[in-house]
Amino acid sequence: MINELDRIDWSSMSHAYGPAVEVPTWLRAMASPDPEVRDKAFNDFYSAAHHQGDVYPCTAASLPFLFAMADGAATPDRASIVQLLLSIGRESADRSDGLYYSPDGTESTAGADSLALIRERADIFISHSNDPDPFVRQPAIEGLGHFLEDADQAVALLRDRLSAERGIVERLLVIRTMADLALRLPAARSSATAWLDALARQATADPDIRLAALVHQSRCSPASIGADTVPTAISLLRQLTPAPKPEPRGKKCEAGPDACACAAEPATTTAQDVPPQLAAAFNDLERHNRVHAPTTDLLRRFHATLDARLPERTALLTEQLRSPDPATRYDAIRMAKNLITSWRGEHTDLVMLLTECLAPEDPYTAAAAAETLGSLTFVSEPAREALAAYIDANRATHGHDVWATPHPLRRRAHQEAVMALARLGDVRALPCLLTALDTGCDAWRAIQVAGHLSSAAEELVPRLARLLAEADLSKKWPETNTGALISALAALRHPAGLPALTHAVSAAARHEQWSTATSAVNALASFGPGAAPALMVIRPLADAEDVNLRAAAAAAVWELGRNAAESVPRLEVLLDSHCNRNAADTLGRIGPPAQTALPRLRELLDAGYEWTRVHAAAALWDIGGEAEADVVVQTLLAAWEKNDATANHVLACLDRMGPAAATALPRIQAELALPRRGGRFKSVSNDAEVQRLCRDILARLSCP
């Protein structure tokens, strides 16, 4: 079959990056005896011919050859072939209801064609589900649930497969696939859910099997979730992770005090020219995708099924985070974060459970817990003392320079805890940050959080200003710390930072580093009239080549000089640029002296983009006042309804409007009643602001 590859006109088809002429080369290489050649071929195919799950005509044309290789006894890596067939079929099924276009813009039926062919050849998954190689069986088992059309046959095959399998991975996969089948084929729903229910109740079955059956039966029938469902799941989880037997008195851990109780951190190497921030981001991505416990996927699906049942989910997470199994505890950290970041409510108990993971003897887990607490600043206040205690314990045990310890696990855990404490504005993080800034060891991490310690500005700003002054802005790509330094100095807003920021503006503009210059101008604008000496540098930039820099300079001229006659004409011109939202905001801060901009702002209320309408409406109120109230409220509410991400801006304006915003009360009350987080990016901080503004407006308008 592979010899027929050249009979297909691959050049007439495209993949994600152009003509599909390389596809036959990749298919041949998948059968190579050289593992490196095979791996490269699979990577290339996934990257281009199955890019991000897309299914192109060349993907569909590859299927007969993939089927042949899957059936070929001499194929060296049949597991990867069957996995690729599963992925193509699964993605085709997920996208089969929507219209798909090829890269050249033509309508494509490749997904539907691929799905039809894979279902027609579903026998391949039946045969390979009995393969002696578990890595071949695993994707084949999934294929039984995705592609068999005979419901009775599929149920019977999966039921028999559970009896035949001995590995925990395969057994859990069979149960999950049975649920997937029930959800896909209505004809399989009754028999599949009955089997799952019976399995969950079978007292003689292993606890992992019963737990999986319980979870997946709940997936199939959410209405059947009762008061005993989660307690039963917790009981089964306890059976799966019994408390370890105590060590004999006097016996020490052979692994040593710094061994990870969950898993060793894989060694990482960083290319010499790769910025540490970028290397850390890739390491974080790799770490994010790790799964440590065999029950993790199962429990994630259970949480997704429980959805808004927050008390039950909190009880389950409590059990997970207190599990005697380190792997279960570690994987529960991200699940706890997902719940807190997605749902409003009182999460103090979960936050405190996360602090229990700050164990010095397990820096791998402690780092994950500290990182999560650092990302939950607006709800992690109860963790303050635990973070400080963890940091103090590290410094007492490992020395005051533990920030720079060569031990990678301990170093990351300590730094994440320091950063989390700094984000709470706690000066107990300061000594470690100063160590970083003075030695240069992972200074980029300290710079990220320095702006939160306003009470320590006297010590931080000179160091940050020195680093900014040393930045080489003549390079084509500015140093990665430059933007963070500018942001930190803007947040601290200490006069000692003004010379460095002013110099950064001049140097960046001179070297046409427009983005850096814009950031530095915005930072100076945040100082207000206190940065007036910088006007001599900023004024000429109001005519800069780059429109973003022009807009920033025009806004800064107002913030520093407070001369409406000078600023308004330039800002009005910018209302016709892509920087119109920034210009509208500045005009709004100028207020009534910017009345000449009102006609253009009224026109922008009909703009096609809701963000433009929101900023124009807010400026209209700030300049025109009561006379504009009705149209402003109407515009703001319409934009909020269309795009929840505008909530923070909308509510900030409604808050300024006072009684004139009374007609918005029903929408504000409805927002507070929502269980899920809202606001821009639906982040914890933005949602906290949304809730605060809603309550402030309600309280003000409810007063007699």
Side-chain angles (χ1 to χ4, degrees):
M1 183 71 185
I2 203 76
N3 296 324
E4 298 180 15
L5 279 168
D6 293 332
R7 297 183 181 180
I8 295 176
D9 183 8
W10 297 100
S11 64
S12 67
M13 295 176 273
S14 298
H15 54 51
Y17 302 109
V21 292
E22 313 98 326
V23 172
T25 302
W26 298 334
L27 291 170
R28 286 191 179 96
M30 289 178 189
S32 169
D34 187 334
E36 292 186 4
V37 172
R38 291 199 305 271
D39 288 346
K40 185 177 186 305
F42 281 110
N43 287 336
D44 288 342
F45 191 95
Y46 273 105
S47 175
H50 194 32
H51 178 69
Q52 296 181 349
D54 284 344
V55 177
Y56 307 98
C58 68
T59 321
S62 303
L63 288 174
F65 305 99
L66 293 173
F67 284 127
M69 283 190 281
D71 280 337
T75 302
D77 190 359
R78 289 179 301 115
S80 293
I81 297 292
V82 179
Q83 181 63 51
L84 179 54
L85 285 168
L86 171 67
S87 179
I88 293 171
R90 187 167 51 201
E91 294 293 342
S92 297
D94 289 345
R95 304 169 190 224
S96 62
D97 293 337
L99 191 61
Y100 175 74
Y101 291 90
S102 294
D104 61 4
T106 58
E107 185 177 341
S108 172
T109 61
D113 295 342
S114 296
L115 181 60
L117 180 57
I118 290 174
R119 284 181 173 164
E120 181 182 322
R121 289 293 314 275
D123 59 298
I124 201 168
F125 296 100
I126 298 175
S127 61
H128 286 308
S129 67
N130 293 298
D131 196 277
D133 183 348
F135 294 107
V136 173
R137 290 202 307 276
Q138 288 170 16
I141 289 169
E142 283 195 74
L144 299 178
H146 283 289
F147 308 123
L148 265 65
E149 292 297 288
D150 186 325
D152 292 338
Q153 180 191 25
V155 169
L157 285 167
L158 289 169
R159 192 166 49 225
D160 293 344
R161 203 63 249 150
L162 183 66
S163 301
E165 293 291 351
R166 292 294 175 263
I168 179 61
V169 173
E170 290 76 29
R171 286 159 67 83
L172 294 180
L173 183 59
V174 168
I175 296 171
R176 190 188 84 194
T177 302
M178 184 71 85
D180 292 339
L181 175 69
L183 292 170
R184 181 176 70 87
L185 288 182
R189 180 71 61 92
S190 177
S191 57
T193 53
W195 180 76
L196 290 168
D197 185 56
L199 199 57
R201 298 174 186 276
Q202 187 177 325
T204 58
D206 292 338
D208 52 359
I209 297 302
R210 293 185 60 198
L211 178 62
L214 176 67
V215 169
H216 290 299
Q217 196 276 338
S218 299
R219 280 181 62 210
C220 295
S221 305
S224 69
I225 297 175
D228 63 336
T229 302
V230 171
T232 300
I234 290 173
S235 175
L236 292 168
L237 189 59
R238 286 176 181 166
Q239 295 176 47
L240 280 169
T241 55
K245 295 179 180 179
E247 294 285 349
R249 185 182 297 274
K251 182 177 180 180
K252 295 183 179 180
C253 175
E254 296 177 359
D258 295 323
C260 171
C262 179
E265 180 87 337
T268 56
T269 56
T270 304
Q272 187 173 358
D273 296 330
V274 175
Q277 299 93 316
L278 185 60
F282 278 104
N283 289 337
D284 287 344
L285 181 62
E286 189 278 330
R287 199 178 293 114
H288 181 80
N289 291 327
R290 291 181 203 162
V291 173
H292 302 81
T295 55
T296 293
D297 178 71
L298 188 62
L299 292 171
R300 285 177 181 166
R301 290 174 185 269
F302 198 23
H303 279 288
T305 300
L306 292 171
D307 197 34
R309 296 175 172 88
L310 299 191
E312 291 90 340
R313 292 182 64 184
T314 300
L316 179 59
L317 279 168
T318 299
E319 182 65 25
Q320 292 174 251
L321 288 166
R322 285 182 172 162
S323 170
D325 175 43
T328 299
R329 288 199 305 272
Y330 187 98
D331 288 348
I333 291 172
R334 197 200 315 175
M335 295 186 216
K337 177 182 176 180
N338 289 342
L339 185 147
I340 294 171
T341 55
S342 300
W343 299 90
R344 294 170 175 173
E346 175 53 61
H347 299 302
T348 299
D349 289 346
L350 283 180
V351 170
M352 296 310 295
L353 285 168
L354 289 172
T355 67
E356 294 180 13
C357 295
L358 297 172
E361 68 274 12
D362 183 4
Y364 182 73
T365 302
E371 181 182 25
T372 294
L373 290 168
S375 69
L376 300 173
T377 301
F378 279 78
V379 296
S380 62
E381 174 61 35
R384 180 189 295 268
E385 295 307 317
L387 287 165
Y390 178 76
I391 293 166
D392 288 345
N394 277 340
R395 299 187 79 200
T397 304
H398 305 294
H400 291 292
D401 59 349
V402 62
W403 175 277
T405 177
H407 186 285
L409 287 176
R410 188 189 309 135
R411 180 171 176 165
R412 177 172 171 261
H414 181 76
Q415 290 182 357
E416 291 291 354
V418 170
M419 294 170 69
L421 189 63
R423 289 189 175 100
L424 291 171
D426 197 308
V427 293
R428 286 176 286 185
L430 182 62
C432 295
L433 299 187
L434 295 182
T435 295
L437 296 173
D438 290 341
T439 65
C441 177
D442 292 334
W444 64 275
R445 290 186 179 274
I447 293 168
Q448 284 184 345
V449 298
H452 294 275
L453 295 178
S454 57
S455 60
E458 290 282 352
E459 294 183 80
L460 288 168
V461 168
R463 292 170 166 87
L464 296 170
R466 172 181 56 80
L467 292 172
L468 181 59
E470 293 172 354
D472 185 358
L473 298 179
S474 66
K475 295 180 179 179
K476 182 177 181 181
W477 302 108
E479 298 173 16
T480 49
N481 278 340
T482 303
L485 285 165
I486 291 170
S487 296
L489 289 170
L492 293 171
R493 215 166 298 172
H494 190 280
L498 289 173
L501 288 169
T502 304
H503 171 74
V505 170
S506 299
R510 184 168 61 255
H511 295 293
E512 298 187 353
Q513 300 287 356
W514 305 127
S515 178
T516 300
T518 300
S519 297
V521 168
N522 287 331
L524 287 168
S526 70
F527 283 76
L535 276 171
M536 60 183 298
V537 173
I538 292 175
R539 273 198 177 96
L541 299 179
D543 296 313
E545 171 187 341
D546 183 78
V547 66
N548 294 297
L549 181 55
R550 287 205 308 273
V557 166
W558 162 253
E559 300 295 350
L560 277 57
R562 300 300 167 98
N563 185 334
E566 178 184 11
S567 300
V568 171
R570 290 187 179 277
L571 292 166
E572 287 187 69
V573 171
L574 288 164
L575 288 176
D576 293 319
S577 73
H578 72 264
C579 293
N580 52 16
R581 298 190 297 280
N582 293 334
D585 290 346
T586 306
L587 288 165
R589 289 193 294 274
I590 294 173
Q595 287 194 21
T596 55
L598 288 175
R600 181 64 183 124
L601 288 170
R602 293 190 187 103
E603 291 176 0
L604 290 175
L605 296 183
D606 295 322
Y609 189 34
E610 63 272 7
W611 278 103
T612 301
R613 300 197 296 272
V614 166
H615 287 266
L620 203 59
W621 165 260
D622 293 330
I623 298 169
E626 294 285 347
E628 310 289 345
D630 290 345
V631 69
V632 166
V633 173
Q634 181 181 358
T635 301
L636 293 175
L637 292 180
W640 189 6
E641 186 67 26
K642 180 177 178 60
N643 185 353
D644 179 68
T646 64
N648 296 83
H649 288 77
V650 168
L651 286 163
C653 182
L654 294 174
D655 188 42
R656 296 195 300 273
M657 293 180 71
T663 55
L665 279 177
R667 178 64 181 86
I668 292 171
Q669 291 166 333
E671 176 64 34
L672 282 176
L674 295 175
R676 285 190 178 272
R677 295 200 182 277
R680 196 167 192 187
F681 307 125
K682 298 190 184 300
S683 68
V684 174
S685 57
N686 285 332
D687 180 67
E689 182 188 39
V690 164
Q691 293 186 69
R692 179 188 63 78
L693 287 168
C694 284
R695 293 190 181 99
D696 287 350
I697 295 169
L698 286 176
R700 186 182 303 113
L701 295 181
S702 300
C703 292

